[in-house]
Amino acid sequence: MVLSHAHIDHSGDLPLLSKQGYRGPIYTTPATIDLCGPMLKDSAHIQESDAQFINKRHRRRQQIKVPPGPAADAARSMARPTPSR
């Protein structure tokens, strides 16, 4: 995979890709790697906060709970990038 730049509309699916089993290289620049780390971590935090809110809200109704876990997916995906020159 080639990641051209860190905008979330380009890098945002990296955790899902990793979660679904992609284990190949991700070619990108060192600067993109530096930006993706905090961006994906922040995005994961927002998703987990949303899941906690939904779980809390629906607990009384006994509906299916949304599982947290995006932070682990983001960390796994950040282990994949290979800086290109």
Side-chain angles (χ1 to χ4, degrees):
M1 167 187 219
V2 176
L3 179 61
S4 61
H5 58 285
H7 288 167
I8 201 69
D9 60 328
H10 293 265
S11 63
D13 279 338
L14 288 176
L16 178 62
L17 186 66
S18 178
K19 183 178 183 175
Q20 291 177 341
Y22 180 75
R23 299 292 179 255
I26 300 172
Y27 298 101
T28 190
T29 65
T32 298
I33 294 171
D34 290 345
L35 290 171
C36 279
M39 286 176 56
L40 292 177
K41 184 178 177 182
D42 184 52
S43 177
H45 174 73
I46 292 168
Q47 290 175 43
E48 288 178 345
S49 295
D50 288 348
Q52 288 174 353
F53 175 78
I54 290 168
N55 287 340
K56 183 179 177 182
R57 194 158 203 235
H58 293 291
R59 187 171 291 144
R60 294 183 204 129
R61 299 181 200 165
Q62 296 184 354
Q63 293 184 359
I64 297 172
K65 295 182 179 182
V66 178
D73 298 335
R76 231 183 341 270
S77 66
M78 284 309 299
R80 310 273 356 129
T82 304
S84 57
R85 293 178 178 97

